[in-house]
Amino acid sequence: MSAIERPIPPLNADERTTLESWLDFHRATLAMKCAGLDDEQAAVASVLPSGLTLTGLVQHMAEVERNWFRRVLAGEQVPPIYGTQTDPRGPDGGFELAEGATLRDALTTWHAEIARARTYCDGHALTDTGRLMEQDVSLRWIYVHMIEEYARHNGHADLLRERIDGSTGL
């Protein structure tokens, strides 16, 4: 299915290395689920009434990366990627595909948000905090949440990929 290499998290490492390694593992898993698909395949919805697609999952995770690392941790005032000013969460947080949306564009945007996230995190300790709804939230908490978010959506991605071409596992 894929030539993407997925880094296996070390079995005995310090906390930060463990958290970052698991996050990278799950990021690579989502990329693997999309590998080798064309735009039409990646836009295949799961089952009615859901419109969930692999392209939509990648768009959503780009929004999630932007939200937690840029808005919450760094305090940046950045607009949504796939939303509008009147609907800042976007059409279902990036899940909905706009006309002409491509997997390639979604992956490019997602990878750019991951690169920015890594840059922001490099300068912070796990105990450093950002702000969410008038409350402090630590980088540690953000990492754990991101691992959970990716793990959940990678389960969705696995089912979507199986529906598209029968590929399972990873």
Side-chain angles (χ1 to χ4, degrees), residues 45-122:
S46 57
V47 293
L48 291 175
S50 174
L52 188 64
T53 66
L54 283 170
T55 301
L57 279 175
V58 173
Q59 288 182 168
H60 174 68
M61 292 313 298
E63 290 282 10
V64 170
E65 293 272 354
R66 175 174 281 208
N67 183 62
W68 287 103
F69 294 111
R70 294 178 72 182
R71 290 189 190 109
V72 174
L73 182 64
E76 246 189 89
Q77 299 296 315
V78 290
I81 303 166
Y82 300 102
T84 65
Q85 292 303 82
T86 57
D87 181 10
R89 289 188 41 83
D92 203 14
F95 285 118
E96 188 176 300
L97 300 185
E99 189 174 324
T102 67
L103 177 60
R104 181 180 176 171
D105 288 347
L107 288 168
T108 298
T109 300
W110 176 57
H111 285 295
E113 290 299 326
I114 290 170
R116 285 185 191 99
R118 286 188 174 120
T119 299
Y120 285 123
C121 292
D122 284 346

